[in-house]
Amino acid sequence: MRFLVYLSFALWCFSAFGANSKSEVLDDRVLTELAQSSSWLDLLHYHQIGIISPNESQIDDAEFFLSPQGMIDPKEELKATLQAFQTPYDGDDVNQASQCRYPARFNWLKDQHLDLNLIEPNCPEFQDWFGKLNGESIYLVFPAAYLNSPSSMYGHTLLRIKKKGSNSPLLDYAVNYAANADPNDNQLVFSYKGLTGGYPGVVSVTPYYEKVKEYNFLESRDIWEYKLDLTQQEVNQFIRHVWEVRNTYMEYYFFSENCSYQLLAMLDASSDRLNTTKNFNYWAIPADTVRELKNAGIIEDVSYRPSVVAQMSHMLDALSDEQIDEVKVLVLNEQLSLEGLSDFTELEQAQILEVAYQYSRYLSAREKSKLKYLNSRSIKLLSLRSKYDTTSVFSPILPPEIRDDEGHKTQRLGVTLGETEGDQFALLEYRPSYHDLLDAKGGYLEGAELSMFSGILRVSEEDSLRVEEISFINIRSLVAANPLVTPKSWQVNASLVRDFVIDDALVFRLKGGAGVTHQVSNNLFSVLVNGSASTSRHYENTYQQKYKIQLGPQLQWLYSGDAHRFMASYEFLDDIDHHDKSLEIGKIEWSYLMDVDWQIRAKLEQQKQDDLKQNTVQLSLLHYF
């Protein structure tokens, strides 16, 4: 009898405890509310962007989730997380406890005051790492566009965690998100995989000076830094979340789930008041993500770090031709000779040595295999420069008047009225991104042009409606040479276009070229050698084959004013199979900036092949948004 009483009492206690536990932990209403809160969804990276955007986590690593359904069901992941946080860890390494793996989740749940018995173990690895970063504030870092890398054509963003009490940014840590690409992939494979999510995107934490060296020095990219207005609690939560995602991966897409977008998602996970990813539905361009943070009101102040090439160009403006010649002697001769320095004043000598030091470092990064002596030469030149009393021999380089995030918007819609040989027409153009040579130059690289997947529709009396052009990719990089550096100018274009030689039939054309560009004041003069390959079944009647291949020179002039821009070009393309069918193209174009987001343009163009000639006049109104 006594045994039955004890047994009944035990069962009652167990039942009562189980009921209370179930009510506190598994109450469905509370769980549903928490699981659908924006903060919990942000911690799991439940965001939607792109043409196909399923309602699931963008983290593609199953190891990130505690529940087997966590990738597609935030409520199941919340249940598993709460259970793990209330279960004592019995493994050998406490650093593998769920609370140590997910400190941002733990901190957020603790702040919800759920009256649960959440176990908080000591996590030595996380605490050591957290203490090493010692974050006080966060800066968004925006290296300018770099056209020689497909993943950085639109620029790049990363985050810098400023250490408490430190005034040396180079000693801080950088948080970067990038594609973990196969180094053996060529640019074509790299571009294809980047467009289709073929690479895992990973979060890395590295010393900031390494990133400055990579972007500012090796790639010669200006860097903008934006201090974010975050509380200490938000900074700490951001660092906790970085710890959570640093060993996981997400499929990387150049246009959508890229460096800039995922950094915004990590900031959203750090603060209940941020929802910066909401306005990016199909693609995320770095400059636009900076604008989004500005619109959110969390950018405090901005600083500028010019690239090595920008610094050298600024210094060269102050040097005479004789000084520049001496710089070349000091750097390019294998045996160092200082005899020529005696021909200059002490100030001029200091200027020469300073430029020579920068020039030797620049060449060392690019031509190690050719000029192996440059590392030691740089050290020697720096030592020689330090012996001069003059500390500042050049005026400070001023930041651009218009920052990269203050230029025109990246999308463009255009309406054009025109006439070709008496045939009047109208064009409707849409360009998703980004910039061309006649756009307002403020905030963009001078001489750079980049657009993808733009299109033009045409309406005329002869053709009611037709596709005039579809441009898959269009890049031009006309970087001006200076007395020390002569970068290659180049261009590439892949499009469906109309060819007037075969009655305006639609053809696929791949075109590219390379050459040099020189700058005189506000004028860029370019000389290029172009190659063009076009294919269409309509070529058979004229060429007895379905393609034509052309080769020839192009001369181009571009004037860049604050409001007005002019461009004139002449191109000669010789058909390598039919030399009697050479093509000449002449263009004169003008643009006028009416407002930061409005522009008008005019164009005169003549195309001539054999006895065929086509003259076109156009007037356009463009809106940027």
Side-chain angles (χ1 to χ4, degrees), residues 412-414 428-432 452-457 467-472:
R412 190 179 79 188
L413 192 65
L428 178 64
E429 171 209 355
Y430 173 65
R431 187 190 71 188
M452 294 185 186
F453 308 114
S454 59
I456 301 175
L457 296 176
V467 174
E468 186 70 10
E469 180 179 336
I470 298 176
S471 177
F472 301 106

Side-chain angles (χ1 to χ4, degrees), residues 491 511 530-532 552-555 569-573 583-587:
Q491 59 186 8
K511 186 176 181 180
N530 295 328
S532 174
Q554 178 183 2
L555 305 177
S569 68
Y570 171 78
E571 186 175 9
F572 178 87
L573 290 170
L583 175 67
E584 296 178 80
I585 305 172
K587 294 181 186 179

Side-chain angles (χ1 to χ4, degrees), residues 280-548:
F280 297 95
N281 298 317
Y282 300 105
W283 54 80
I285 293 174
D288 290 338
T289 63
V290 178
R291 294 186 183 104
E292 182 63 28
L293 291 174
K294 184 178 179 181
N295 292 337
I298 65 167
I299 290 180
E300 284 191 338
D301 52 55
V302 185
S303 59
Y304 171 69
R305 187 186 294 270
S307 70
V308 170
V309 170
Q311 294 178 55
M312 281 199 301
S313 297
H314 176 71
M315 294 175 182
L316 288 171
D317 290 340
L319 265 59
S320 65
D321 292 341
E322 292 75 17
Q323 285 178 290
I324 293 173
D325 290 339
E326 185 61 25
V327 168
K328 295 177 180 178
V329 169
L330 292 175
V331 175
L332 299 179
N333 291 345
E334 189 166 353
Q335 297 298 321
L336 179 62
S337 174
L338 303 177
E339 294 179 1
L341 283 176
S342 60
D343 297 334
F344 300 92
T345 66
E346 183 173 317
L347 173 63
E348 291 171 335
Q349 291 178 28
Q351 290 177 324
I352 290 169
L353 288 170
E354 191 158 323
V355 176
Y357 166 67
Q358 294 285 3
Y359 184 40
S360 65
R361 292 177 66 223
Y362 172 84
L363 290 180
S364 178
R366 286 159 174 73
E367 303 187 28
K368 284 184 177 179
S369 59
K370 298 179 183 178
L371 305 172
K372 298 184 182 298
Y373 63 86
L374 282 178
N375 279 335
S376 59
R377 180 66 53 84
S378 297
I379 298 172
K380 179 64 175 176
L381 290 170
L382 181 61
S383 175
L384 290 169
R385 171 65 184 91
S386 67
K387 296 177 181 178
Y388 287 77
D389 293 334
T390 307
T391 55
S392 180
V393 293
F394 294 104
S395 61
I397 183 169
L398 299 176
E401 293 182 6
I402 300 176
R403 301 196 308 258
D404 289 23
D405 63 291
E406 294 178 328
H408 65 75
K409 305 291 196 311
T410 52
Q411 297 187 68
R412 190 179 79 188
L413 192 65
V415 177
T416 298
L417 298 177
E419 181 178 296
T420 298
E421 300 298 335
D423 179 25
Q424 297 180 346
F425 61 87
L427 303 177
L428 178 64
E429 171 209 355
Y430 173 65
R431 187 190 71 188
S433 64
Y434 167 68
H435 181 73
D436 68 28
L437 296 179
L438 288 174
D439 285 336
K441 66 179 180 178
Y444 292 84
L445 292 175
E446 185 66 272
E449 179 171 301
L450 173 61
S451 62
M452 294 185 186
F453 308 114
S454 59
I456 301 175
L457 296 176
R458 171 177 168 139
V459 179
S460 67
E461 295 179 356
E462 293 185 359
D463 301 293
S464 57
L465 179 66
R466 76 181 192 189
V467 174
E468 186 70 10
E469 180 179 336
I470 298 176
S471 177
F472 301 106
I473 185 169
N474 176 52
I475 306 173
R476 280 199 272 188
S477 177
L478 307 179
V479 183
N482 65 43
L484 297 180
V485 180
T486 305
K488 183 188 298 180
S489 292
W490 60 277
Q491 59 186 8
V492 64
N493 179 281
S495 302
L496 290 173
V497 296
R498 298 284 173 176
D499 192 335
F500 86 103
V501 176
I502 52 175
D503 296 326
D504 277 352
L506 201 61
V507 306
F508 175 76
R509 177 169 298 161
L510 180 63
K511 186 176 181 180
V516 294
T517 297
H518 288 274
Q519 184 169 7
V520 179
S521 185
N522 288 339
N523 302 276
L524 290 179
F525 298 94
S526 301
V527 179
L528 303 163
V529 177
N530 295 328
S532 174
S534 305
T535 180
S536 170
R537 62 182 178 83
H538 297 284
Y539 282 130
E540 284 189 301
N541 296 332
T542 304
Y543 297 93
Q544 289 75 53
Q545 57 194 23
K546 294 182 180 180
Y547 65 90
K548 67 176 180 179

Side-chain angles (χ1 to χ4, degrees), residues 120-271:
E120 188 169 6
N122 182 39
C123 303
E125 285 187 4
F126 168 70
Q127 293 299 335
D128 288 348
W129 181 83
F130 188 88
K132 184 170 69 172
L133 269 58
N134 196 23
E136 177 182 76
S137 56
I138 295 174
Y139 288 73
L140 178 75
V141 181
F142 183 18
Y146 182 58
L147 294 182
N148 290 329
S149 171
S151 62
S152 297
M153 288 179 178
Y154 295 98
H156 179 68
T157 55
L158 60 149
L159 294 167
R160 171 168 70 89
I161 301 175
K162 181 187 179 299
K163 285 186 176 181
K164 291 179 181 177
S166 173
N167 293 317
S168 301
L170 294 179
L171 300 180
D172 294 337
Y173 282 88
V175 177
N176 189 54
Y177 176 77
N180 187 14
D182 186 338
N184 297 317
D185 287 347
N186 58 39
Q187 292 285 9
L188 185 61
V189 174
F190 180 75
S191 299
Y192 171 75
K193 288 186 177 180
L195 290 170
T196 59
Y199 290 122
V202 295
V203 175
S204 61
V205 181
T206 57
Y208 183 56
Y209 68 81
E210 293 182 3
K211 290 300 176 183
V212 171
K213 179 181 178 182
E214 176 183 350
Y215 297 122
N216 205 218
F217 180 69
L218 297 180
E219 296 180 355
S220 299
R221 300 162 69 175
D222 293 343
I223 293 177
W224 293 94
E225 295 188 1
Y226 305 80
K227 184 179 181 182
L228 303 183
D229 182 15
L230 300 177
T231 66
Q232 185 62 59
Q233 183 178 356
E234 290 168 335
V235 171
N236 292 344
Q237 183 70 344
F238 172 78
I239 297 173
R240 294 186 193 104
H241 188 58
V242 171
W243 173 267
E244 294 180 343
V245 299
R246 79 200 190 288
N247 289 326
T248 189
Y249 69 88
M250 295 165 266
E251 292 178 355
Y252 189 96
Y253 294 87
F254 284 160
F255 293 125
S256 54
E257 297 177 44
N258 55 25
C259 60
S260 299
Y261 179 82
Q262 294 298 2
L263 289 179
L264 289 187
M266 293 171 66
L267 288 172
D268 286 351
S270 309
S271 172

Side-chain angles (χ1 to χ4, degrees), residues 563-610:
H564 296 273
R565 293 171 76 83
F566 295 93
M567 186 163 64
S569 68
Y570 171 78
E571 186 175 9
F572 178 87
L573 290 170
D574 180 48
D575 192 306
I576 64 173
D577 293 319
H578 305 273
H579 296 292
D580 59 330
K581 298 186 182 302
S582 59
L583 175 67
E584 296 178 80
I585 305 172
K587 294 181 186 179
I588 299 176
E589 299 176 81
W590 163 78
S591 69
Y592 173 69
L593 186 64
M594 303 166 59
D595 186 65
V596 66
D597 291 324
W598 289 92
Q599 190 183 72
I600 58 172
R601 291 188 184 184
K603 181 171 80 169
L604 301 175
E605 180 182 43
Q606 183 182 86
Q607 298 186 71
K608 185 168 68 172
Q609 178 174 310
D610 300 334

